[in-house]
Amino acid sequence: MIIRRIFESDDFVLIDKLAGVLTTPSRFEEEDIRLCLGTALQAEMKQQIYPVHRLDFEVSGLVMFAKNAEAHRQSNAWFENKLVQKTYRALTTPQDFSHIPANISNPRITFEPKANETLHWKSQLLRGKKRTYESPQGKPSLTLAAFLGTTKDFLLWDLQPVTGRPHQLRYELSRHGFPIVGDALYGSKVPFGENKIALRSYKIDFSKAPSAKAFGLPPAVEIEAEF
């Protein structure tokens, strides 16, 4: 596996994860033959590493590992207290609700996305066996979605998950009628390649994390957002 290191200090390493690669071993580790970034990176570095956050198997982009327990503890606190902001780029189809079954409750509100407008999407999300859904028993979720414009027949978005719920961005775009290209689990009818969807984590902002500088981190780490 090619491991692309984007930034490294004494305490952290940030990797550009490929789509179709696990961030950390699955709970079926012994039977799961999929490539795992965390396992490969740990073997390459020949030391214990600690995942700070994760990306879905089908998602590409920046993922962060701590190189010691104290850095792991501190960075977990940054994420829990919303002091670190991640930004994702997504490619979707134009608004269409045909992928949502008739028996599923959805307001199906049609609207024309406007450039430079940031939408605030709130939900109560609960994770099922395979996918996330909305439920009164779910956890509060907030997503900031900025429409960037169109490219060919698709729409470009920048997304910031204020909360970090499983499949949060994938669910929100789907429920608003904009399934991510390639994301068949959430209704996409357009292929994007094997084991990949058009969602990429391309920026992590540490500027509000008070001790990030002391750990040798820059104000932000950013990579190309193109798929």
Side-chain angles (χ1 to χ4, degrees):
M1 182 198 308
I2 297 174
I3 300 177
R4 186 184 176 200
R5 302 192 196 194
I6 301 301
F7 173 85
E8 186 168 3
S9 67
D10 291 340
D11 299 292
F12 294 102
V13 57
L14 279 81
I15 307 295
D16 183 357
K17 184 184 89 67
L18 299 173
V21 173
L22 295 168
T23 303
T24 56
S26 73
R27 56 191 178 126
F28 307 107
E29 181 177 1
E30 293 184 0
E31 297 83 19
D32 199 331
I33 61 172
R34 292 177 294 178
L35 294 174
C36 175
L37 173 61
T39 301
L41 180 62
Q42 186 161 279
E44 182 178 282
M45 296 179 67
K46 296 181 174 59
Q47 70 172 84
Q48 176 74 45
I49 59 171
Y50 307 80
V52 177
H53 64 102
R54 293 162 179 79
L55 293 179
D56 291 345
F57 174 68
E58 307 90 344
V59 177
S60 70
L62 286 171
V63 65
M64 182 177 185
F65 295 88
K67 297 166 76 172
N68 56 70
E70 179 58 21
H72 186 232
R73 186 186 70 80
Q74 289 278 356
S75 54
N76 276 342
W78 302 338
F79 277 86
E80 288 172 6
N81 293 307
K82 301 178 178 60
L83 299 173
V84 175
Q85 183 64 68
K86 295 188 292 180
T87 305
Y88 292 72
R89 178 67 49 83
L91 187 69
T92 76
T93 43
Q95 192 178 44
D96 177 12
F97 294 97
S98 63
H99 63 286
I100 301 177
N103 64 330
I104 298 297
S105 176
N106 185 297
R108 294 172 172 79
I109 298 173
T110 60
F111 64 94
E112 191 76 28
K114 298 177 181 178
N116 302 318
E117 177 185 24
T118 299
L119 304 169
H120 291 65
W121 289 339
K122 296 181 180 181
S123 300
Q124 296 284 125
L125 298 185
L126 194 64
R127 177 66 187 270
K129 287 185 177 181
K130 288 188 176 181
R131 53 177 292 163
T132 289
Y133 59 96
E134 198 158 12
S135 167
Q137 289 75 45
K139 294 181 178 180
S141 167
L142 174 59
T143 299
L144 306 183
F147 174 62
L148 304 179
T150 59
T151 173
K152 295 184 179 179
D153 296 326
F154 302 113
L155 281 62
L156 279 172
W157 302 80
D158 264 1
L159 306 163
Q160 293 182 333
V162 179
T163 52
R165 311 303 179 204
H167 289 194
Q168 176 177 327
L169 304 181
R170 300 168 66 177
Y171 172 81
E172 286 292 0
L173 282 167
S174 176
R175 86 172 178 104
H176 285 91
F178 305 99
I180 296 169
V181 172
D183 196 1
L185 183 63
Y186 287 92
S188 176
K189 301 167 186 174
V190 181
F192 193 64
E194 186 177 4
N195 296 324
K196 62 187 299 188
I197 65 175
L199 182 64
R200 179 165 174 77
S201 168
Y202 75 90
K203 183 178 181 180
I204 304 181
D205 190 319
F206 301 102
S207 60
K208 294 182 181 178
S211 56
K213 187 176 181 180
F215 278 94
L217 289 167
V221 175
E222 185 171 351
I223 56 176
E224 290 184 2
E226 302 303 319
F227 301 103

